[in-house]
Amino acid sequence: MFGDMMGMMNKIKETQQKVEETKERLKTVSIEEKSSDGLLSVTITATREIKNINVADELLEDKEQLEDYLVLTLNKAIAKASDINEKELAAVAKDGMPDIPGMDMLK
């Protein structure tokens, strides 16, 4: 029983390390999102850090329109980044879960 407990603890520790490595890797994953007409594009990481925003000159003439474009495009990019982030971290966590009787509902 004690050996099983040590094995589970080691597996959990390995999983924690893999989660941290995945978080670091996700900082380097770039997602580019464009407005439907291509006048605005944003680049963010899978950790939801904004890296770049490109705005067409014609959007600079209308502050309200630019604000709307920014909100819509950034929200789409953040949703994609969140989805990638959650899927990657969930996959690492699921692979690293020790086999605990009665906990197979998590798999």
Side-chain angles (χ1 to χ4, degrees):
M1 180 171 173
F2 186 71
D4 289 344
M5 185 66 104
M6 289 300 291
M8 281 193 295
M9 294 303 290
N10 285 337
K11 184 129 176 136
I12 289 171
K13 194 177 282 190
E14 286 175 21
T15 300
Q16 288 173 332
Q17 182 178 348
K18 286 181 182 178
V19 166
E20 290 306 314
E21 290 169 0
T22 300
K23 285 180 180 179
E24 285 301 311
R25 185 179 55 76
L26 289 171
K27 290 179 182 179
T28 67
V29 174
S30 292
I31 296 122
E32 183 176 9
E33 185 65 43
K34 293 183 179 186
S35 60
S36 57
D37 57 9
L39 296 178
L40 180 102
S41 69
V42 297
T43 305
I44 67 172
T45 66
T47 56
R48 298 172 291 277
E49 180 182 349
I50 298 169
K51 290 295 189 176
N52 191 33
I53 298 176
N54 288 314
V55 181
D57 289 340
E58 62 192 85
L59 282 179
L60 297 176
E61 298 168 10
D62 185 345
K63 181 180 182 280
E64 255 183 60
Q65 183 182 17
L66 175 57
E67 290 169 346
D68 290 343
Y69 270 65
L70 282 167
V71 168
L72 292 171
T73 308
L74 283 168
N75 281 335
K76 286 195 308 188
I78 290 167
K80 283 183 181 178
S82 295
D83 186 50
I84 290 169
N85 192 301
E86 289 169 16
K87 284 180 181 174
E88 292 281 331
L89 291 175
V92 171
K94 182 180 175 185
D95 286 345
M97 287 293 291
D99 292 326
I100 301 172
M103 294 297 285
D104 50 343
M105 63 186 168
L106 296 174
K107 292 186 176 182

